[in-house]
Structures are given as structure tokens and as C-alpha cells.
Amino acid sequence: MWKDYFKGILNSESSANGSVESVEHSTECKKNYLGLEMPMCSCVSLASLLQKLPLNKAPGPDCISAEHLLYADESLRYFLSELFNMGVVHGYIPNSCLHTTIVPLCKNKNGNMTDTSNYRPVAVVTVVSKLFEHFILSKILMQIKWSKHFSEPFHVSEPFPMSNGVRQGGVLSPYLFAVYLDDLSNELNNIKAGCYIGEVLLNDLMFADNVCVFCPSVHWLQRILDVWQAYAESHGIIFNLNKTVCMTFKAKSAKSAATPVLKFGGQYVKSVDQYKYLGILFDTELSDDKDIQRQLRY
């Protein structure tokens, strides 16, 4: 069950020949595909990166923990730094470093516990892969130009490849996802429709994979959704239409508000009177009474 579900959502795009390669291996030694000067990693810098690894955590599929690397002989730092430099130069990462174990984590404990969509795939990766991501992040955070997500195959019940997505819990995942959606944010801003706070235009809020769009005009809100849909289709993004809803905030003086008719992903968007977004319960009157009562019950 878990394998089929996660394999489906992590392989929404297939390569032309039906096969998936984690990283394309180039045998031609070059400067490196990011255009940075070499060498990039040294024993000294690696020692600093090792301090960033969290301790007392579950090991990855290779059963190697952060403590193994941290307290190993100093000669290991030399070999790891050489491995990382070669990986950047050749644009190749060994598959053994990319193996990942998935742990299904429940999203809503009050929801349907038998529904696979109520679980998020949390990745438990190899510590070498995690250290490599820290290395990449420390050196080229401001120079990431990658146009696609970096993803790795992992184990659920048995191995399967994946062709898209970022692993939840990965060091680089938030930054890669932000880069992936940066062009979308620019396209939405270019619509020039939304809510103005002084001279600042706002029509979207993005926090990880939680996205909220808003506009005082139903016509332009539909236009924003159309831009979203076009971007999703061209970039291989799949939305959870069951969690896509619309809420109309009414003025305090208004007794009721008209329900807008909006379409997204080929279906009508459901209108709701309240919705929990990023852990906070919102309603049409922008009152926090219901959210306070919900918190008190805990």
C-alpha cells in the first residue's frame, strides 16, 4: 500500500525512455557544472560541517550515524572531502549515497487514519548524503541555478526509483523548492492584481508546499488560479485538489458574502466557512474565537 502510494506521487513525470536516473554521470572532467572554482571542500571545512549534523538520530539505510563520522579518525575527513569534490566536478553521486528510507508521518490525527493521503513521507537519509547537502548549501546557497528538483530513490517495502519531488526533511529541500517556485511568484506579481498594503502588492503567500492566493476581485482571482494551473502543468506540479478550497472574508458590517464560482485543475473550487492554514483556524469573519477554543481543548 505505502509503496504504491508514494511511488505514484513521487513519479508524476516519466522520462522519455521510461527509465529514471538519479544523477546523470558525465565522465568528462570539467571545472564543475555550477561554474565554481575548485577545490571546494577541505578537511578543515568538512570538520566544521560535521558539527552541523544532529546527534542521537536514527541512521539511514546504511546504518551509519552522525557519531560514526564525527568521532572517526581524521583521515576520514580527507576521503570525504575528496569524494565531495569529485562529485561536484563530475556531476555524479553514487547511488549508495542516495538511498533513502521513508517513514509515513500522520498529518491529521483527527482525520482518517486509514487514508494514505493523510500521511506525509518523511525521509531518513544516509548521513553522508546529509553531510554532502550541508556542503553544497554552505558553498553555493546564493548560486543555486538548478531548474529541477533533486530527488533520490528510497526504500518503503522494496526499492523504487523516483523522478520528481524533494525529500521531506532534506537539508537542501526547502531551498530547492523555493528556487523551483520563484518564477511562479514573479508571474503572479506580474498580474498586478491582489491586495495592496501601501505601495506593496500581495496576492500570494508561500510556505513550503502550502500556498495561499487572494484577491478582492473574483475575476482576477480566477486569473491568478489560471496562472497557477499553467505553471503547474509546465513544471510537473500536482496539486491536492481535495485540499484546495476558497474562503470569502466579509466586512464586519456585512451580514453575508456572495460565494464566488472558481475553477482550478478542471474542477470547481469548494467554498468553506472555516479552514485551518498552517495550524491556525480561520473563519469568514477573521475571528480567532474558534481557534482559541480549539487550542484550549488540547
Side-chain angles (χ1 to χ4, degrees):
M1 177 181 71
W2 292 117
K3 175 191 173 183
D4 293 339
Y5 173 66
F6 289 131
K7 183 178 180 180
I9 63 175
L10 296 172
N11 289 280
S12 59
E13 286 188 337
S14 301
S15 58
N17 57 7
S19 62
V20 177
E21 293 185 9
S22 304
V23 183
E24 181 179 357
H25 183 197
S26 174
T27 56
E28 179 184 358
C29 183
K30 50 193 174 185
K31 187 177 182 180
N32 67 63
Y33 58 86
L34 292 175
L36 302 177
E37 295 294 338
M38 295 294 291
M40 295 177 60
C41 188
S42 65
C43 294
V44 175
S45 62
L46 195 64
S48 177
L49 293 175
L50 284 170
Q51 300 299 321
K52 296 183 178 182
L53 294 177
L55 305 180
N56 300 316
K57 297 295 183 179
D62 58 357
C63 297
I64 299 177
S65 66
E67 287 82 354
H68 286 111
L69 302 187
L70 184 62
Y71 302 122
D73 186 82
E74 293 185 1
S75 61
L76 178 62
R77 301 174 188 174
Y78 167 77
F79 293 111
L80 286 175
S81 63
E82 287 296 298
L83 174 65
F84 293 170
N85 286 331
M86 291 172 64
V88 174
V89 169
H90 294 281
Y92 174 74
I93 304 173
N95 284 333
S96 59
C97 294
L98 301 178
H99 291 166
T100 305
T101 299
I102 273 191
V103 178
L105 186 65
C106 182
K107 299 178 182 178
N108 181 9
K109 295 182 179 179
N110 295 322
N112 186 354
M113 302 297 288
T114 64
D115 184 4
T116 53
S117 64
N118 191 32
Y119 292 81
R120 66 179 81 253
V122 177
V124 180
V125 304
T126 64
V127 68
V128 174
S129 174
K130 187 177 297 184
L131 185 63
F132 181 74
E133 289 190 26
H134 275 296
F135 158 63
I136 293 291
L137 183 60
S138 67
K139 295 297 182 181
I140 56 173
L141 179 59
M142 302 305 295
Q143 302 186 48
I144 293 179
K145 303 295 184 180
W146 301 344
S147 60
K148 295 191 69 176
H149 286 65
F150 229 100
S151 304
E152 297 80 24
F154 43 70
H155 302 277
V156 178
S157 56
E158 61 183 72
F160 65 85
M162 58 183 282
S163 58
N164 60 273
V166 293
R167 57 191 183 189
Q168 187 154 352
V171 176
L172 285 175
S173 297
Y175 299 95
L176 293 177
F177 194 75
V179 171
Y180 200 64
L181 291 185
D182 187 58
D183 289 340
L184 171 61
S185 182
N186 292 332
E187 289 187 23
L188 294 178
N189 288 331
N190 290 335
I191 297 177
K192 302 302 180 184
C195 300
Y196 280 88
I197 302 178
E199 300 295 327
V200 179
L201 171 66
L202 289 176
N203 58 18
D204 68 278
L205 294 175
M206 300 182 184
F207 184 84
D209 59 348
N210 294 286
V211 181
C212 177
V213 294
F214 41 86
C215 186
S217 165
V218 176
H219 170 78
W220 285 106
L221 183 57
Q222 181 62 65
R223 172 58 181 156
I224 291 174
L225 293 178
D226 292 340
V227 172
W228 250 113
Q229 181 65 28
Y231 190 90
E233 292 175 354
S234 63
H235 289 75
I237 300 175
I238 297 178
F239 294 102
N240 188 340
L241 298 179
N242 294 326
K243 296 177 65 176
T244 303
V245 299
C246 173
M247 181 183 293
T248 303
F249 298 104
K250 63 181 182 180
K252 293 183 178 180
S253 58
K255 295 182 179 180
S256 62
T259 301
V261 178
L262 300 167
K263 295 192 69 174
F264 183 65
Q267 70 181 38
Y268 289 103
V269 179
K270 178 182 177 181
S271 291
V272 296
D273 294 326
Q274 64 181 34
Y275 189 76
K276 187 167 71 172
Y277 180 69
L278 298 181
I280 299 177
L281 189 64
F282 290 90
D283 63 19
T284 57
E285 297 180 351
L286 285 178
S287 171
D288 57 2
D289 292 344
K290 295 179 181 179
D291 189 65
I292 292 175
Q293 291 300 319
R294 181 183 65 85
Q295 296 289 350
L296 288 176
R297 287 198 296 269
Y298 287 100

